[in-house]
Amino acid sequence: MFTVDLGDVRKPRSGATGSRQILPTQMVEPWHRHEDLAFAVQTRHSKYSDDRTGSTCETCGRWKWLPISEGDAPIVASAVVAESDLTASPETFGDSLKSFRHLLVRRPLGETLVAASPRNWHLVEVQIA
């Protein structure tokens, strides 16, 4: 049994589909140190630095980092204290409709997801600082 939140999948016009989706627990405490994220962005996107490592959303005021992969920056130990087996980073990456958060999945759930759908899931080892 996994500790996750589930939500109903609904179609806009016809309503409930009978399917459920896994909902990650949204974390509040930062997963990464600012300088680690800035370094990871500069390493991946070498032409960007300082205030160009991301941008502020005009609508919500949230800072959105340029995209990096889950393993590009170490995660602080406080990120792994959640009760849920699936958590989402408070940091946002990308822009507009292509923005995303990093997910942290406990190994048993991750292995189950990969076994069920290897085309959609893969595991990345992360470094805890």
Side-chain angles (χ1 to χ4, degrees):
M1 181 66 104
F2 300 110
T3 306
V4 294
D5 293 325
L6 297 174
D8 292 324
V9 176
R10 303 180 61 80
K11 291 184 178 180
R13 293 190 178 139
S14 58
T17 63
S19 297
R20 310 266 314 207
Q21 64 181 334
I22 301 172
L23 302 173
T25 299
Q26 175 67 51
M27 302 304 290
V28 176
E29 293 297 317
W31 279 16
H32 308 281
R33 290 185 294 272
H34 181 87
E35 56 274 8
D36 291 338
L37 283 177
F39 179 77
V41 167
Q42 291 168 6
T43 300
R44 182 169 287 252
H45 308 278
S46 58
K47 62 184 176 182
Y48 298 102
S49 63
D50 301 322
D51 63 338
R52 298 187 336 149
T53 56
S55 62
T56 302
C57 175
E58 293 178 11
T59 305
C60 67
R62 178 182 294 135
W63 178 259
K64 294 183 180 180
W65 293 92
L66 287 173
I68 60 170
S69 295
E70 286 87 353
D72 287 351
I75 295 176
V76 297
S78 62
V80 294
V81 298
E83 299 279 331
S84 178
D85 287 326
L86 176 65
T87 56
S89 68
E91 295 90 357
T92 304
F93 303 89
D95 193 28
S96 191
L97 294 176
K98 292 187 176 185
S99 65
F100 61 94
R101 296 176 188 277
H102 287 166
L103 296 177
L104 191 59
V105 181
R106 295 194 194 274
R107 182 161 295 281
L109 175 58
E111 289 172 350
T112 301
L113 292 171
V114 169
S117 185
R119 288 181 32 206
N120 296 316
W121 292 93
H122 67 277
L123 298 179
V124 175
E125 295 288 334
V126 294
Q127 179 184 359
I128 306 295

